[in-house]
Each structure stands twice: as structure tokens, then as C-alpha cells.
Amino acid sequence: MKKIAIEFKPISVIAGKEFWDRIRNRWVLAVAVIFTVFALVIAYFGAAQQGAVGFRGMDVTIASLVSLVIYLVPLIALILGYDAIVGERERGSLELLLSLPITRFELLIGKFLGLAGALSFSTLAGFGLAGVLLSYQLGATALYHYAGFMLSALLLGMAFLSIAILVSVMASDRMRASGVAIGLWFFLVLVYDLLLLGLLVLAEKRFSLSFFPVLLYLNPADIFRILNVFGFKEVRDLYGLATVLPAALASPWMLGSAMVLWIVAPLGVAVWRFK
Amino acid sequence: MAYNAIEIQGAVKHFGPTRAVDGVDLTVRTGELFGLIGHNGAGKTTLFKMMLGLLPPTRGDIRIDGQPVRGDAFREVRRRIGYLPESLALYDNLSGLEIMQFFARLKNADLASCLPLLEKVGLADAARRRVRGYSKGMRQRLGFAQALLGSPRLLFLDEPTNGLDPQGIREFYQLLRELREQGVTALLSSHILAEIQLRVDRLALMKTGKMQALGTVAELREALNLPLDFQLTLAPGAGESLQRALAGQPAASVQLDKDTAHVRCPREHKMALLHLLTNLEDSVVDLQIREPSLEDVFLGYSDAA
């Protein structure tokens, strides 16, 4: 196969269509509103169980938000992306698209960028608005932490979107793609940590767990959690799990790179499988 | 240098043990209106996809406009190609015009040409309505308009009249003729023979992945040498004498039905049979000779295989 130069115009046309489709059908608006409302509710009423109502400070708010985002963002990203390729295939429009002067690589990257744009836009707008509304109560450090949280939520979304695109490329029909997407969410977000905890309890008595931190890196949801947890001492104490991570592997740069790898790798496999 | 629009040599496509396309040679000349005929599952769509570079052939060589179907050079060829896939569902949430504009951008075609093309296929009034509310025929018209974006030199139309009403079919072929006068080459597939018979320059018959026959309708008839059908109106009670008279004829078969008879005879015995029948003027009141239709040709090839 001869090498083909990449053209940017078809990428931007595909990305633009995906993005504006999500703006037009109010997907972006709906997700942004959900994020804003949740962030504000958690900030003011998160401590209601302890009998207190009102803003409790940024670190605790972020800790609660992390628990929410870790469920919500992967689910939203998977639902957003699972249809990207398999949907076109099932409609019959994929053949038409590929008969045009556009390569498979350009189509796939365009799809990813457009959807990633929509997801990023709603994440930033949703949590950003909440941040602005909270800002009068916050100092510079707290805002900095909040910005870090937003960025990590963004990366988490991209990682799961990348996984969703891979699912969409591999699946033979939409039904199967949605099934696999929900299954992956269930496993990575709900089951994986339980398995790790079980392993931890078992290992305490029998074998050493030097490879344990690696297992945390194998799940983007866990990377996200650690990224946010290690920022603040107060929050760190809330999570026993994070204490098993050696300092070297807990640096934000290491974690950030791992997250970027989680975005690039599934997309890379998707490009390869889409040939 | 002028190339043939399509040149296929020994194209083979296997899906596991299935031979969807099994050694196809085909040349479509530039400016030709070429019909590809075959039952569902004959391999037409697979052949289309191979010509468009959507499926790599297992073996064989395919050239479109002189270019092999791969690499950057073929990307340039793609700009001159229009394609209407067999079963196409476009984006329901967009209007016809928006869909045209989306494809025009991808094809680097003039955005201002979108509306005139929709007018051309009779969708001017529906241009700004969402495709969700389009009928099957309207969707097919939109698909055709999309294929015409960027003034393509070569059209690949897979079952283009699917879902069109008779009026739509007539308009479609009218438009296709206009395009051919401008030098556009078109390859279209169909399983409706009567429709395509009088409207293409040449056609190919495909069955189980192979080309059964290729040529003009007249050439196909010639090649297969299908028998002529003499339809006779007989005088009352003349059936017996007709059968007696034809008993000595080697290649004629007679079918009697009250006062009419069908006599099938090979083309080369036509004059001899005519001579004999004119000598039976007491028995034969009237006579019509029917040429085999493309339908017969098609069935003939299907049976022969």
C-alpha cells in the first residue's frame, strides 16, 4: 500500500459535522447543565448527611465531585462514541464517505476530534460555570485545584471516548457496540476497583504487591481518581487506596502521561483495525 | 492520453469459502452508459465496492480512469467519481441541502451547486426540510443528487432506480442521457431488465460472481442464438395438418393451443420455415415473429450456467 499524505480539510469537515450535530440537538447543552447542577448541589449540599448545609471548602467538594465524575463522564463518553463508525456502517453511509476523497484515517480522526470537541465543550462549560459561581468564595489555590480537576475530567472523557471509538470500529452492529460499551463501563468503573481491593486483602497475608500500582495505571478511571486525590493532603486521607502508590508513580506528570496514553492507544488501535 | 473509464482484469474476491467475484474481466469505455445485470447476490455490489477501492480484491487488476485503485493518485480520481450506494440512509437530522453541503465540502465541490442539483432531481421544495420526513423515492433522488456533486466524469450507480416511481425512473434516465451527452461515463446495476434494456449502450450479465455475457443487446442475442418464436393464428381445425407439415422439420418445436400455435425455431432455419408456412395458407391465417427479449436472453444464460 502506498503511503498517503494526510489532508486537514476533510478532517475538519467531519469534525465540524459531529460537533455541530451535538450542538444542534442540544446534547452539549444537556450535558453542560447536568455538570453545573451536580457541581453546585455537591458544593452546597454534599455535607447534608453530616447535618450541615453550605459550602464546605474546595478540597472536600472536589473529592465528592471526583466520585461523581468517575461514574458520569465515562458513561457519557462511551454513549457519545460507540455509534461513531458502526452507525455509519449500518446506515450505508460509510461506503459513501469512503468513496469520497477522504482516507479512513482522516475519517476516524475527524470523528474523534468532533466528538471530543463536543464533550470538552460541555465539560468545560458545565464545570466552568459552576466554578465561576463558586469563585467568590474561593482563593487562588482552590481555583487552581478546581482547574486541575476540570482538566483531569476532560482527559478522562477523552480516554473513554477513545475506547468508545475503538469499540465502534470493532463491532459488527450497533446493538453489539452499545452492549460492549456498557459492559466496559460496568467493568472499568464498578468492578475493577472491587477486584483490586479483593486482591489487596488477599495479598496482605500471602504475597507482595509491588505490581499493584501498575494495575491502577491499567484503568483510566483509577488514574483520574489518583490524579485528583494526590493534590491535597486532606483528601488523601479520605482514600485509603491511594496510600499504596509510591510517590514516583503518583506524580501528576506520570499520571497525566498515562492518561494521554489512554487517549492515544485505543485510538491508534482503532486506526489500525479500521484499515 | 485517453484511458478507458474502467478496466478490470481477472478480478477475484473471496469471503472465506465464498467466491463473491470470481475472475471478472470488464472494460467500460469513456462516455459509455453501461448496465450491469444480475440477480441479488450475483456479485454486482461487491464488484462496485472493489472498483471504488472499498474492498481490496483478492486477486486481479482494477484501473479507474487509468489509475490503479489505491494510493494518492486514486484520491485524485475519487474527486471525479460520483457514487450512489445500493442501500443508503442519509442523516435524518439534517435537511437535504445540509447533507448536500456536507458532501460538497468533503468533495471540494462548489457549495453554490448544491441547490441547483437538488432542483435538477426535483427536490427543490424539500431542500430545507429534514430528511427524516422524506419518502423512499425522495431519499433516492437525494442520493443521486449527492453523486452529481463536483461534476463527476464517472458515475457508479448501484440499483439507482430502487424506490423510484415510474415517473421518477423516466426522469432519472432522462438526466442520465443529458449527462452522457456531456461525456460522463456511467455504470449502473439493476435486476430489472426491461427497464435497462433500451437505455444502456452495452451491458454485462453477471451470475455467481462471473460475467456470463457482455455486449449490446443485439450482440447478446446473437451470441446466445436463442430460437425465434413464430406465433401462428390457425384456421379452425388446422392444428393437425400443421403438425404433419412440420413433422419433417428438424429443429422446430410446436406448441398447440386451440387455434393458435407457437413454433420455436433456430435463427438459421427462419427462411426455410417461412417458406414452408406460406405454402400452408389454408391452415395459417396470420403470423408474427417475435425476437427473444433481453428477458429471454437473461433467462437463457441463467439456465445455461
Side-chain angles (χ1 to χ4, degrees), chain A residues 7 9-14 16-17 20 100-101, chain B residues 79 94 97-111 114 149:
Chain A
E7 283 184 22
K9 176 156 184 219
I11 295 179
S12 73
V13 173
I14 297 284
K17 176 177 180 295
W20 287 111
L100 301 170
Chain B
R79 296 189 205 285
L94 299 181
L97 185 59
E98 283 165 338
I99 285 179
M100 288 292 281
Q101 286 166 342
F102 170 62
F103 284 107
R105 285 194 193 96
L106 280 178
K107 238 172 156 180
N108 253 338
D110 187 5
L111 287 182
C114 293
L149 278 166

Side-chain angles (χ1 to χ4, degrees), chain A residues 36-269:
Chain A
T36 308
V37 169
F38 268 116
L40 290 177
V41 167
I42 282 176
Y44 284 102
F45 302 105
Q49 278 179 340
Q50 285 95 351
V53 169
F55 189 64
R56 304 162 293 155
M58 200 39 134
D59 292 353
V60 186
T61 299
I62 288 182
S64 309
L65 274 176
V66 165
S67 309
L68 167 80
V69 161
I70 222 164
Y71 290 105
L72 210 52
V73 167
L75 188 64
I76 288 172
L78 285 165
I79 290 172
L80 180 64
Y82 85 88
D83 190 48
I85 297 296
V86 78
E88 300 269 3
R89 200 193 296 276
E90 230 170 70
R91 259 198 304 270
S93 46
L94 184 64
E95 286 163 16
L96 179 55
L97 284 172
L98 292 175
S99 80
L100 301 170
I102 176 172
T103 62
R104 285 164 187 257
F105 174 78
E106 287 159 4
L107 176 64
L108 202 65
I109 295 300
K111 285 262 180 192
F112 177 79
L113 290 180
L115 296 174
L119 183 58
S120 307
F121 191 72
S122 31
T123 307
L124 292 181
F127 287 122
L129 181 62
V132 169
L133 294 176
L134 294 173
S135 63
Y136 70 96
Q137 309 199 14
L138 298 175
T141 326
L143 276 178
Y144 176 72
H145 283 169
Y146 190 71
F149 155 75
M150 272 175 35
L151 182 67
S152 64
L154 207 71
L155 289 176
L156 178 69
M158 300 300 100
F160 273 90
L161 182 62
S162 177
I163 292 171
I165 299 270
L166 176 60
V167 169
S168 194
V169 166
M170 304 283 288
S172 54
D173 56 72
R174 295 180 63 189
M175 279 288 267
R176 224 162 286 188
S178 64
V180 171
I182 298 298
L184 276 174
W185 178 80
F186 195 72
F187 178 75
L188 289 174
V189 173
L190 298 178
V191 178
Y192 194 83
D193 282 1
L194 286 178
L195 287 179
L196 286 199
L197 276 173
L199 194 67
L200 211 56
V201 171
L202 271 177
E204 215 165 19
K205 292 157 196 166
R206 288 168 214 172
F207 50 90
S208 108
L209 265 186
S210 52
F211 60 91
F212 191 79
V214 179
L215 293 180
L216 289 175
Y217 268 77
L218 285 180
N219 184 347
D222 278 328
I223 299 176
F224 169 77
R225 201 196 309 267
I226 301 163
L227 254 175
N228 284 287
V229 159
F230 268 74
F232 338 100
K233 198 196 161 300
E234 198 182 327
V235 181
R236 208 173 315 166
D237 301 338
L238 278 171
Y239 286 91
L241 186 67
T243 53
V244 297
L245 207 62
L249 283 173
S251 97
W253 291 114
M254 269 301 271
L255 291 160
S257 309
M259 204 63 143
V260 170
L261 201 67
W262 263 110
I263 299 170
V264 174
L267 203 57
V269 177

Side-chain angles (χ1 to χ4, degrees), chain A residues 1-11 13-15 17-18 21-22 24-25 88 90-104 106-107 111, chain B residues 45 49 52-55 70-73 75-76 78-79 81 83-95 98 102-109 130 146:
Chain A
M1 197 83 171
K2 250 194 289 180
K3 213 167 159 52
I4 297 178
I6 297 167
E7 283 184 22
F8 291 100
K9 176 156 184 219
I11 295 179
V13 173
I14 297 284
K17 176 177 180 295
E18 293 299 329
D21 276 1
R22 299 308 178 294
R24 280 165 51 126
N25 67 14
E88 300 269 3
E90 230 170 70
R91 259 198 304 270
S93 46
L94 184 64
E95 286 163 16
L96 179 55
L97 284 172
L98 292 175
S99 80
L100 301 170
I102 176 172
T103 62
R104 285 164 187 257
E106 287 159 4
L107 176 64
K111 285 262 180 192
Chain B
T45 297
K49 288 184 187 173
L52 289 157
L54 303 175
L55 276 178
R70 58 176 179 273
D72 252 353
R75 188 177 184 130
E76 283 311 307
R78 285 188 194 282
R79 296 189 205 285
I81 286 180
Y83 174 41
L84 174 59
E86 183 187 8
S87 48
L88 177 65
L90 288 161
Y91 313 105
D92 271 0
N93 57 327
L94 299 181
S95 74
E98 283 165 338
F102 170 62
F103 284 107
R105 285 194 193 96
L106 280 178
K107 238 172 156 180
N108 253 338
R130 288 193 180 199
Q146 163 282 131

